[in-house]
């Protein structure tokens, strides 16, 4: 059977976990109903007189129990039908048929998100085993710190000059340099000959130099504490299953471009797209499944940089349908 007709992943309902969770929900609900009945009975069915302070205290306790019970009840939806997924990467199509992938990495505060760790994430994304012309990595710094910009330049030089060629030449599976050099993979490679060991030591030395430069950048920069982001304490993935996968929450999720644009962009007039998404030709071209950016020549890079700055400006979406309709209070409508 052709791999293109086979699913890339399958969903499996964990029946035993679901039965246990539902049984627990039933027992707990029974206890809550009994407790609520007892509280109501003590208020309205008792014949013993009680003073005002005692009644008020009992009412506060009962109100708190109702609120906590309601919160608990809402949380049971995550445990009612637990699922796991099996993925089949071997069924992926050939490189020419793979879609373009955008990797967004967000950071905000170097004092809480160490710059070196963020750069390791960036390097890992750049070194992904994916067609280079279809892989785009973006680093978003909400705080706009200069340390992030300078460290990003160093990360790009190290990744392009040493790390990515090394990973491709020897099929390195751990694409994060920090994890790779601290782990055991480097000692168990199938190609652990003298040439490999020499290249490994050379890349490790370059990585140590890269770390030193990033640390110097960090030490020479002034960091103002930013409190924009709050930590995600827990995500119960097994119960948060949507129509085609888990819902978006936190970081590390995958989402199709079509989901960002609300609907598949097919057979839509170019002028209509520009009215909706703005006048950028490069942005409109990126809607295509087989879109490839221009070659990294000097003239093309300058043009693309100007286009990127234009897209990132606060005024780009002015007078566009997207700018008028996209807001936290509205849902992006379908493209007619």
């Amino acid at each position: 059977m052709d791999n293109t007709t086979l699913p890339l992943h399958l969903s499996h309902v964990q029946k035993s976990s679901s039965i246990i969770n539902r049984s627990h929900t039933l027992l707990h609900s029974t206890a809550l109903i009994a407790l609520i009945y007892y509280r109501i009975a003590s208020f309205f069915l008792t014949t013993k007189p009680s003073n005002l302070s005692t009644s008020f205290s009992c009412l506060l306790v009962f109100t708190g129990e109702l609120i906590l019970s309601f919160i608990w009840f809402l949380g049971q939806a995550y445990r009612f039908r637990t699922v796991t997924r099996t993925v089949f990467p071997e069924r992926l199509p050939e490189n020419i048929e793979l879609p373009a992938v955008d990797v967004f990495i967000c950071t905000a505060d170097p004092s809480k998100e160490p710059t070196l760790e963020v750069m390791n994430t960036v390097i890992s994304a750049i070194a992904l085993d994916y067609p280079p012309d279809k892989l785009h990595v973006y680093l978003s710094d909400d705080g706009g710190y200069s340390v992030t910009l300078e460290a990003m330049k160093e990360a790009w030089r190290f990744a392009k000059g040493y790390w990515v060629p090394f990973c491709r030449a020897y099929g390195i599976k751990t694409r994060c340099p920090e994890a790779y050099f601290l782990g055991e993979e480097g000692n168990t490679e199938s190609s652990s000959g003298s040439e490999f060991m020499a290249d490994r030591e050379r890349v490790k030395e370059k990585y140590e130099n890269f770390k030193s430069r990033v640390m110097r950048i960090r030490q020479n920069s002034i960091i103002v504490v930013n409190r924009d982001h709050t930590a995600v304490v827990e995500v119960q993935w097994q119960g948060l299953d949507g129509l085609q996968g888990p819902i978006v929450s936190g970081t590390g999720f995958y989402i199709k471009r079509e989901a960002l644009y609300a609907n598949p962009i097919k057979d839509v007039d170019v002028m209509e797209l520009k009215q909706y998404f703005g006048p950028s030709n490069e942005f409109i071209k990126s809607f295509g499944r087989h879109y490839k950016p221009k070659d990294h020549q000097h003239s093309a890079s300058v043009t693309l940089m100007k286009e990127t700055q234009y897209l990132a400006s606060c005024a780009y979406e002015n007078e566009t349908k997207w700018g008028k309709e996209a807001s936290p209070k509205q849902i992006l409508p379908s493209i007619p």
Side-chain angles (χ1 to χ4, degrees):
M1 184 179 293
D2 188 2
N3 282 350
T4 58
T5 63
L6 296 174
L8 296 178
H9 64 87
L10 293 176
S11 176
H12 308 281
V13 178
Q14 301 297 304
K15 294 183 179 180
S16 57
S17 298
S18 298
I19 292 174
I20 294 174
N21 292 340
R22 294 178 186 183
S23 300
H24 174 265
T25 300
L26 178 62
L27 292 174
H28 198 88
S29 299
T30 303
L32 286 178
I33 292 173
L35 176 63
I36 293 173
Y37 175 79
Y38 169 77
R39 295 298 188 192
I40 294 176
S42 64
F43 277 118
F44 299 104
L45 302 181
T46 183
T47 57
K48 296 180 180 180
S50 58
N51 56 46
L52 181 61
S53 61
T54 302
S55 300
F56 183 72
S57 300
C58 292
L59 182 61
L60 284 179
V61 172
F62 183 45
T63 303
E65 290 172 343
L66 287 178
I67 294 174
L68 293 176
S69 299
F70 179 70
I71 295 174
W72 172 85
F73 179 76
L74 294 179
Q76 299 317 296
Y78 304 145
R79 302 180 177 88
F80 200 76
R81 183 178 180 272
T82 57
V83 298
T84 57
R85 292 184 179 273
T86 303
V87 296
F88 305 98
E90 67 277 4
R91 296 178 181 176
L92 287 172
E94 298 296 330
N95 288 352
I96 192 174
E97 298 180 5
L98 289 173
V101 172
D102 300 320
V103 181
F104 288 89
I105 301 170
C106 300
T107 184
D109 188 352
S111 63
K112 294 183 178 180
E113 301 167 339
T115 305
L116 183 60
E117 294 183 11
V118 175
M119 293 306 113
N120 266 276
T121 304
V122 172
I123 295 172
S124 302
I126 294 175
L128 285 174
D129 185 13
Y130 207 80
D133 58 334
K134 295 186 177 183
L135 177 64
H136 309 87
V137 180
Y138 303 87
L139 176 62
S140 174
D141 182 6
D142 292 353
Y145 293 100
S146 60
V147 60
T148 305
L149 176 61
E150 297 302 322
M152 182 63 190
K153 294 178 181 178
E154 295 292 341
W156 166 248
R157 295 189 189 101
F158 170 72
K160 182 180 180 181
Y162 305 101
W163 182 244
V164 174
F166 175 69
C167 290
R168 291 177 180 171
Y170 297 103
I172 304 300
K173 295 181 180 180
T174 304
R175 296 300 173 101
C176 174
E178 183 72 17
Y180 174 78
F181 290 119
L182 290 178
E184 297 295 331
E185 183 182 351
N187 299 324
T188 59
E189 291 292 332
S190 58
S191 55
S192 56
S194 58
E195 183 180 357
F196 165 75
M197 295 304 298
D199 285 348
R200 183 179 184 275
E201 291 302 317
R202 179 177 63 89
V203 174
K204 184 176 182 180
E205 180 182 357
K206 296 297 182 181
Y207 177 64
E208 294 298 329
N209 294 337
F210 159 73
K211 289 172 61 176
S212 300
R213 290 193 296 270
V214 172
M215 295 305 296
R216 283 198 299 269
I217 293 172
R218 175 68 176 81
Q219 292 171 358
N220 296 333
S221 300
I222 300 176
I223 304 299
V224 180
V225 177
N226 189 308
R227 303 183 182 276
D228 286 345
H229 291 270
T230 57
V232 177
V233 178
E234 181 182 5
V235 179
Q236 298 170 323
W237 286 108
Q238 289 189 335
L240 294 172
D241 194 57
L243 295 178
Q244 296 183 4
I247 66 172
V248 173
S249 177
T251 60
F253 54 82
Y254 298 85
I255 184 171
K256 293 181 179 179
R257 287 184 180 180
E258 295 175 353
L260 293 176
Y261 301 146
N263 282 288
I265 310 296
K266 297 179 181 178
D267 301 326
V268 181
D269 182 69
V270 174
M271 294 306 299
E272 190 173 351
L273 286 175
K274 288 187 175 182
Q275 291 176 1
Y276 203 92
F277 293 109
S280 173
N281 291 324
E282 284 297 320
F283 184 50
I284 298 299
K285 291 178 183 177
S286 70
F287 295 169
R289 178 180 176 85
H290 301 292
Y291 166 75
K292 292 183 179 181
K294 297 178 180 179
D295 295 334
H296 295 289
Q297 300 175 355
H298 178 70
S299 58
S301 298
V302 172
T303 303
L304 195 59
M305 180 59 68
K306 291 182 179 179
E307 192 81 5
T308 303
Q309 292 174 348
Y310 177 47
L311 280 169
S313 65
C314 297
Y316 174 77
E317 65 270 17
N318 290 350
E319 304 304 324
T320 64
K321 292 183 179 180
W322 187 91
K324 295 177 181 178
E325 297 171 352
S327 70
K329 297 181 180 180
Q330 294 176 318
I331 299 176
L332 191 63
S334 301
I335 298 177

PDB file of all heavy atoms in Angstrom, residues 69-88:
ATOM      1  N   SER A  69     -15.981  22.007  44.374  1.00  0.00           N
ATOM      2  CA  SER A  69     -16.620  20.866  43.710  1.00  0.00           C
ATOM      3  C   SER A  69     -16.856  21.153  42.234  1.00  0.00           C
ATOM      4  O   SER A  69     -16.672  20.275  41.375  1.00  0.00           O
ATOM      5  CB  SER A  69     -17.954  20.538  44.393  1.00  0.00           C
ATOM      6  OG  SER A  69     -17.749  20.182  45.747  1.00  0.00           O
ATOM      7  N   PHE A  70     -17.245  22.389  41.936  1.00  0.00           N
ATOM      8  CA  PHE A  70     -17.468  22.770  40.541  1.00  0.00           C
ATOM      9  C   PHE A  70     -16.165  22.737  39.749  1.00  0.00           C
ATOM     10  O   PHE A  70     -16.120  22.241  38.615  1.00  0.00           O
ATOM     11  CB  PHE A  70     -18.092  24.164  40.486  1.00  0.00           C
ATOM     12  CG  PHE A  70     -18.341  24.654  39.084  1.00  0.00           C
ATOM     13  CD1 PHE A  70     -19.337  24.082  38.303  1.00  0.00           C
ATOM     14  CD2 PHE A  70     -17.578  25.674  38.550  1.00  0.00           C
ATOM     15  CE1 PHE A  70     -19.571  24.526  37.007  1.00  0.00           C
ATOM     16  CE2 PHE A  70     -17.802  26.126  37.260  1.00  0.00           C
ATOM     17  CZ  PHE A  70     -18.802  25.548  36.487  1.00  0.00           C
ATOM     18  N   ILE A  71     -15.075  23.238  40.346  1.00  0.00           N
ATOM     19  CA  ILE A  71     -13.766  23.202  39.681  1.00  0.00           C
ATOM     20  C   ILE A  71     -13.325  21.761  39.453  1.00  0.00           C
ATOM     21  O   ILE A  71     -12.805  21.405  38.386  1.00  0.00           O
ATOM     22  CB  ILE A  71     -12.727  23.974  40.518  1.00  0.00           C
ATOM     23  CG1 ILE A  71     -13.096  25.460  40.579  1.00  0.00           C
ATOM     24  CG2 ILE A  71     -11.324  23.795  39.945  1.00  0.00           C
ATOM     25  CD1 ILE A  71     -12.202  26.269  41.497  1.00  0.00           C
ATOM     26  N   TRP A  72     -13.519  20.920  40.455  1.00  0.00           N
ATOM     27  CA  TRP A  72     -13.162  19.506  40.309  1.00  0.00           C
ATOM     28  C   TRP A  72     -13.977  18.855  39.200  1.00  0.00           C
ATOM     29  O   TRP A  72     -13.448  18.081  38.397  1.00  0.00           O
ATOM     30  CB  TRP A  72     -13.417  18.780  41.631  1.00  0.00           C
ATOM     31  CG  TRP A  72     -13.266  17.288  41.511  1.00  0.00           C
ATOM     32  CD1 TRP A  72     -12.122  16.565  41.602  1.00  0.00           C
ATOM     33  CD2 TRP A  72     -14.317  16.343  41.252  1.00  0.00           C
ATOM     34  NE1 TRP A  72     -12.375  15.228  41.415  1.00  0.00           N
ATOM     35  CE2 TRP A  72     -13.722  15.063  41.194  1.00  0.00           C
ATOM     36  CE3 TRP A  72     -15.691  16.453  41.068  1.00  0.00           C
ATOM     37  CZ2 TRP A  72     -14.452  13.909  40.963  1.00  0.00           C
ATOM     38  CZ3 TRP A  72     -16.423  15.301  40.829  1.00  0.00           C
ATOM     39  CH2 TRP A  72     -15.807  14.044  40.785  1.00  0.00           C
ATOM     40  N   PHE A  73     -15.257  19.175  39.126  1.00  0.00           N
ATOM     41  CA  PHE A  73     -16.124  18.586  38.109  1.00  0.00           C
ATOM     42  C   PHE A  73     -15.656  18.958  36.702  1.00  0.00           C
ATOM     43  O   PHE A  73     -15.647  18.121  35.794  1.00  0.00           O
ATOM     44  CB  PHE A  73     -17.566  19.055  38.332  1.00  0.00           C
ATOM     45  CG  PHE A  73     -18.532  18.523  37.311  1.00  0.00           C
ATOM     46  CD1 PHE A  73     -18.966  17.207  37.365  1.00  0.00           C
ATOM     47  CD2 PHE A  73     -19.000  19.340  36.288  1.00  0.00           C
ATOM     48  CE1 PHE A  73     -19.849  16.708  36.416  1.00  0.00           C
ATOM     49  CE2 PHE A  73     -19.880  18.855  35.340  1.00  0.00           C
ATOM     50  CZ  PHE A  73     -20.310  17.533  35.403  1.00  0.00           C
ATOM     51  N   LEU A  74     -15.255  20.206  36.500  1.00  0.00           N
ATOM     52  CA  LEU A  74     -14.765  20.618  35.186  1.00  0.00           C
ATOM     53  C   LEU A  74     -13.493  19.868  34.806  1.00  0.00           C
ATOM     54  O   LEU A  74     -13.273  19.539  33.636  1.00  0.00           O
ATOM     55  CB  LEU A  74     -14.501  22.129  35.176  1.00  0.00           C
ATOM     56  CG  LEU A  74     -15.719  23.046  35.318  1.00  0.00           C
ATOM     57  CD1 LEU A  74     -15.277  24.503  35.306  1.00  0.00           C
ATOM     58  CD2 LEU A  74     -16.733  22.792  34.203  1.00  0.00           C
ATOM     59  N   GLY A  75     -12.652  19.583  35.784  1.00  0.00           N
ATOM     60  CA  GLY A  75     -11.398  18.890  35.504  1.00  0.00           C
ATOM     61  C   GLY A  75     -11.562  17.434  35.125  1.00  0.00           C
ATOM     62  O   GLY A  75     -10.631  16.827  34.575  1.00  0.00           O
ATOM     63  N   GLN A  76     -12.720  16.853  35.383  1.00  0.00           N
ATOM     64  CA  GLN A  76     -12.915  15.441  35.064  1.00  0.00           C
ATOM     65  C   GLN A  76     -13.005  15.183  33.565  1.00  0.00           C
ATOM     66  O   GLN A  76     -12.821  14.050  33.112  1.00  0.00           O
ATOM     67  CB  GLN A  76     -14.182  14.917  35.760  1.00  0.00           C
ATOM     68  CG  GLN A  76     -14.131  14.997  37.272  1.00  0.00           C
ATOM     69  CD  GLN A  76     -12.790  14.568  37.824  1.00  0.00           C
ATOM     70  OE1 GLN A  76     -12.381  13.420  37.694  1.00  0.00           O
ATOM     71  NE2 GLN A  76     -12.075  15.511  38.438  1.00  0.00           N
ATOM     72  N   ALA A  77     -13.285  16.231  32.795  1.00  0.00           N
ATOM     73  CA  ALA A  77     -13.342  16.056  31.342  1.00  0.00           C
ATOM     74  C   ALA A  77     -11.994  15.617  30.785  1.00  0.00           C
ATOM     75  O   ALA A  77     -11.924  14.903  29.780  1.00  0.00           O
ATOM     76  CB  ALA A  77     -13.784  17.363  30.678  1.00  0.00           C
ATOM     77  N   TYR A  78     -10.892  16.023  31.437  1.00  0.00           N
ATOM     78  CA  TYR A  78      -9.558  15.656  30.970  1.00  0.00           C
ATOM     79  C   TYR A  78      -9.240  14.185  31.225  1.00  0.00           C
ATOM     80  O   TYR A  78      -8.360  13.619  30.592  1.00  0.00           O
ATOM     81  CB  TYR A  78      -8.500  16.521  31.661  1.00  0.00           C
ATOM     82  CG  TYR A  78      -8.709  18.003  31.495  1.00  0.00           C
ATOM     83  CD1 TYR A  78      -8.392  18.882  32.517  1.00  0.00           C
ATOM     84  CD2 TYR A  78      -9.234  18.520  30.320  1.00  0.00           C
ATOM     85  CE1 TYR A  78      -8.577  20.251  32.367  1.00  0.00           C
ATOM     86  CE2 TYR A  78      -9.429  19.876  30.158  1.00  0.00           C
ATOM     87  CZ  TYR A  78      -9.099  20.739  31.185  1.00  0.00           C
ATOM     88  OH  TYR A  78      -9.287  22.083  31.033  1.00  0.00           O
ATOM     89  N   ARG A  79      -9.926  13.580  32.170  1.00  0.00           N
ATOM     90  CA  ARG A  79      -9.640  12.193  32.537  1.00  0.00           C
ATOM     91  C   ARG A  79     -10.703  11.215  32.043  1.00  0.00           C
ATOM     92  O   ARG A  79     -10.560  10.012  32.211  1.00  0.00           O
ATOM     93  CB  ARG A  79      -9.535  12.075  34.059  1.00  0.00           C
ATOM     94  CG  ARG A  79      -8.479  12.974  34.676  1.00  0.00           C
ATOM     95  CD  ARG A  79      -8.441  12.811  36.189  1.00  0.00           C
ATOM     96  NE  ARG A  79      -7.399  13.607  36.795  1.00  0.00           N
ATOM     97  CZ  ARG A  79      -7.547  14.856  37.186  1.00  0.00           C
ATOM     98  NH1 ARG A  79      -8.722  15.449  37.028  1.00  0.00           N
ATOM     99  NH2 ARG A  79      -6.551  15.523  37.725  1.00  0.00           N
ATOM    100  N   PHE A  80     -11.756  11.732  31.439  1.00  0.00           N
ATOM    101  CA  PHE A  80     -12.880  10.881  31.070  1.00  0.00           C
ATOM    102  C   PHE A  80     -12.523   9.931  29.928  1.00  0.00           C
ATOM    103  O   PHE A  80     -12.982   8.790  29.878  1.00  0.00           O
ATOM    104  CB  PHE A  80     -14.078  11.756  30.661  1.00  0.00           C
ATOM    105  CG  PHE A  80     -15.394  11.030  30.718  1.00  0.00           C
ATOM    106  CD1 PHE A  80     -16.000  10.779  31.932  1.00  0.00           C
ATOM    107  CD2 PHE A  80     -16.012  10.594  29.558  1.00  0.00           C
ATOM    108  CE1 PHE A  80     -17.210  10.104  31.994  1.00  0.00           C
ATOM    109  CE2 PHE A  80     -17.217   9.915  29.616  1.00  0.00           C
ATOM    110  CZ  PHE A  80     -17.820   9.672  30.836  1.00  0.00           C
ATOM    111  N   ARG A  81     -11.690  10.402  29.001  1.00  0.00           N
ATOM    112  CA  ARG A  81     -11.310   9.574  27.844  1.00  0.00           C
ATOM    113  C   ARG A  81      -9.833   9.820  27.537  1.00  0.00           C
ATOM    114  O   ARG A  81      -9.474  10.637  26.713  1.00  0.00           O
ATOM    115  CB  ARG A  81     -12.168   9.924  26.624  1.00  0.00           C
ATOM    116  CG  ARG A  81     -11.904   9.060  25.393  1.00  0.00           C
ATOM    117  CD  ARG A  81     -12.846   9.467  24.270  1.00  0.00           C
ATOM    118  NE  ARG A  81     -12.643   8.680  23.066  1.00  0.00           N
ATOM    119  CZ  ARG A  81     -11.774   8.990  22.104  1.00  0.00           C
ATOM    120  NH1 ARG A  81     -11.025  10.085  22.215  1.00  0.00           N
ATOM    121  NH2 ARG A  81     -11.653   8.229  21.036  1.00  0.00           N
ATOM    122  N   THR A  82      -8.972   9.101  28.216  1.00  0.00           N
ATOM    123  CA  THR A  82      -7.534   9.281  28.028  1.00  0.00           C
ATOM    124  C   THR A  82      -7.076   8.542  26.776  1.00  0.00           C
ATOM    125  O   THR A  82      -7.500   7.414  26.512  1.00  0.00           O
ATOM    126  CB  THR A  82      -6.753   8.765  29.242  1.00  0.00           C
ATOM    127  OG1 THR A  82      -7.083   7.393  29.465  1.00  0.00           O
ATOM    128  CG2 THR A  82      -7.098   9.573  30.480  1.00  0.00           C
ATOM    129  N   VAL A  83      -6.211   9.188  26.013  1.00  0.00           N
ATOM    130  CA  VAL A  83      -5.726   8.603  24.765  1.00  0.00           C
ATOM    131  C   VAL A  83      -4.212   8.764  24.669  1.00  0.00           C
ATOM    132  O   VAL A  83      -3.619   9.637  25.296  1.00  0.00           O
ATOM    133  CB  VAL A  83      -6.384   9.266  23.533  1.00  0.00           C
ATOM    134  CG1 VAL A  83      -7.881   9.068  23.537  1.00  0.00           C
ATOM    135  CG2 VAL A  83      -6.030  10.743  23.463  1.00  0.00           C
ATOM    136  N   THR A  84      -3.607   7.903  23.887  1.00  0.00           N
ATOM    137  CA  THR A  84      -2.208   8.033  23.493  1.00  0.00           C
ATOM    138  C   THR A  84      -2.139   7.898  21.979  1.00  0.00           C
ATOM    139  O   THR A  84      -3.083   7.402  21.349  1.00  0.00           O
ATOM    140  CB  THR A  84      -1.323   6.959  24.149  1.00  0.00           C
ATOM    141  OG1 THR A  84      -1.831   5.659  23.807  1.00  0.00           O
ATOM    142  CG2 THR A  84      -1.311   7.116  25.662  1.00  0.00           C
ATOM    143  N   ARG A  85      -1.014   8.327  21.416  1.00  0.00           N
ATOM    144  CA  ARG A  85      -0.882   8.287  19.962  1.00  0.00           C
ATOM    145  C   ARG A  85       0.394   7.561  19.560  1.00  0.00           C
ATOM    146  O   ARG A  85       1.423   7.683  20.218  1.00  0.00           O
ATOM    147  CB  ARG A  85      -0.886   9.704  19.378  1.00  0.00           C
ATOM    148  CG  ARG A  85      -2.224  10.396  19.532  1.00  0.00           C
ATOM    149  CD  ARG A  85      -2.256  11.765  18.875  1.00  0.00           C
ATOM    150  NE  ARG A  85      -3.567  12.366  19.044  1.00  0.00           N
ATOM    151  CZ  ARG A  85      -4.592  12.165  18.225  1.00  0.00           C
ATOM    152  NH1 ARG A  85      -4.433  11.402  17.160  1.00  0.00           N
ATOM    153  NH2 ARG A  85      -5.755  12.725  18.455  1.00  0.00           N
ATOM    154  N   THR A  86       0.291   6.813  18.481  1.00  0.00           N
ATOM    155  CA  THR A  86       1.437   6.143  17.877  1.00  0.00           C
ATOM    156  C   THR A  86       1.742   6.827  16.553  1.00  0.00           C
ATOM    157  O   THR A  86       0.851   6.970  15.715  1.00  0.00           O
ATOM    158  CB  THR A  86       1.145   4.653  17.628  1.00  0.00           C
ATOM    159  OG1 THR A  86       0.782   4.026  18.861  1.00  0.00           O
ATOM    160  CG2 THR A  86       2.370   3.964  17.054  1.00  0.00           C
ATOM    161  N   VAL A  87       2.978   7.276  16.395  1.00  0.00           N
ATOM    162  CA  VAL A  87       3.360   7.984  15.174  1.00  0.00           C
ATOM    163  C   VAL A  87       4.180   7.060  14.281  1.00  0.00           C
ATOM    164  O   VAL A  87       4.840   6.126  14.750  1.00  0.00           O
ATOM    165  CB  VAL A  87       4.163   9.261  15.504  1.00  0.00           C
ATOM    166  CG1 VAL A  87       3.304  10.238  16.283  1.00  0.00           C
ATOM    167  CG2 VAL A  87       5.422   8.925  16.287  1.00  0.00           C
ATOM    168  N   PHE A  88       4.139   7.326  12.981  1.00  0.00           N
ATOM    169  CA  PHE A  88       4.845   6.512  11.994  1.00  0.00           C
ATOM    170  C   PHE A  88       5.692   7.423  11.105  1.00  0.00           C
ATOM    171  O   PHE A  88       5.293   7.772   9.984  1.00  0.00           O
ATOM    172  CB  PHE A  88       3.844   5.727  11.142  1.00  0.00           C
ATOM    173  CG  PHE A  88       2.904   4.874  11.944  1.00  0.00           C
ATOM    174  CD1 PHE A  88       1.622   5.321  12.240  1.00  0.00           C
ATOM    175  CD2 PHE A  88       3.299   3.639  12.421  1.00  0.00           C
ATOM    176  CE1 PHE A  88       0.748   4.544  12.980  1.00  0.00           C
ATOM    177  CE2 PHE A  88       2.437   2.853  13.171  1.00  0.00           C
ATOM    178  CZ  PHE A  88       1.157   3.306  13.453  1.00  0.00           C
TER     179      PHE A  88
END
